[in-house]
Amino acid sequence: MTVRLRPHHLLCILTYVGKGYSPAFTDNMTAIAGRLSAGEPVEIVEGPDDICTPRQSETNPHCHDCSIQVRDQKAAKDVGRILNISIENGTRLSLPPSSLMQLRRAFAQGRIRSACGDCQWGEMCTEISANAYHGALI
């Protein structure tokens, strides 16, 4: 199988420690973290992805907002630069430990955080990265 991720979720997975919007969201995200940790490949998608699934039943989920699409564009550019690949709809990639380490180093240094500016989880992610990603599930 393949995990379908929108570009900014490539950043979110770096600091995921089991916290999220709701119990359904965290259960789903934890399951995805397990799949990614087991080496399941990723396919980049536009719009809602496998992580967004529990939020789709909400009234006006933010997954469709223009601001989230802008966040995806910024993350695609940043992550692509670090991994030296083009991140766009349909891109398939694997995330071996070496790639996660590259991304985490760049994230902690603030080099791939342009998409994080207005994210409600930003402060928590900063703390997790400053603490050497202790407790991250991937």
Side-chain angles (χ1 to χ4, degrees):
M1 294 202 40
T2 300
V3 177
R4 298 171 51 252
L5 294 181
R6 62 188 318 157
H8 86 264
H9 282 156
L10 290 169
L11 302 175
C12 300
I13 64 171
L14 300 174
T15 60
Y16 179 66
V17 292
K19 296 181 181 180
Y21 298 102
S22 68
F25 179 89
T26 56
D27 288 348
N28 181 59
M29 184 75 164
T30 299
I32 290 169
R35 291 168 57 192
L36 292 170
S37 293
E40 197 165 318
V42 170
E43 178 181 358
I44 300 300
V45 298
E46 290 181 4
D49 62 5
D50 292 342
I51 290 175
C52 297
T53 300
R55 302 208 67 195
Q56 294 305 296
S57 61
E58 298 174 2
T59 303
N60 301 318
H62 78 252
C63 306
H64 300 284
D65 292 352
C66 289
S67 64
I68 302 302
Q69 293 169 12
V70 170
R71 188 176 291 170
D72 283 337
Q73 292 166 358
K74 290 177 179 181
K77 183 178 177 184
D78 287 348
V79 171
R81 187 180 68 251
I82 297 301
L83 296 180
N84 200 31
I85 61 173
S86 178
I87 303 289
E88 56 191 35
N89 191 43
T91 298
R92 293 181 177 268
L93 63 142
S94 61
L95 294 172
S98 60
S99 293
L100 290 171
M101 187 182 332
Q102 274 184 294
L103 291 172
R104 283 190 167 126
R105 187 177 314 119
F107 188 89
Q109 295 168 347
R111 296 180 7 221
I112 58 172
R113 302 236 10 214
S114 66
C116 305
D118 61 349
C119 178
Q120 72 186 73
W121 302 99
E123 187 175 316
M124 182 187 76
C125 294
T126 297
E127 290 174 14
I128 292 165
S129 67
N131 195 27
Y133 299 94
H134 179 74
L137 297 183
I138 297 175

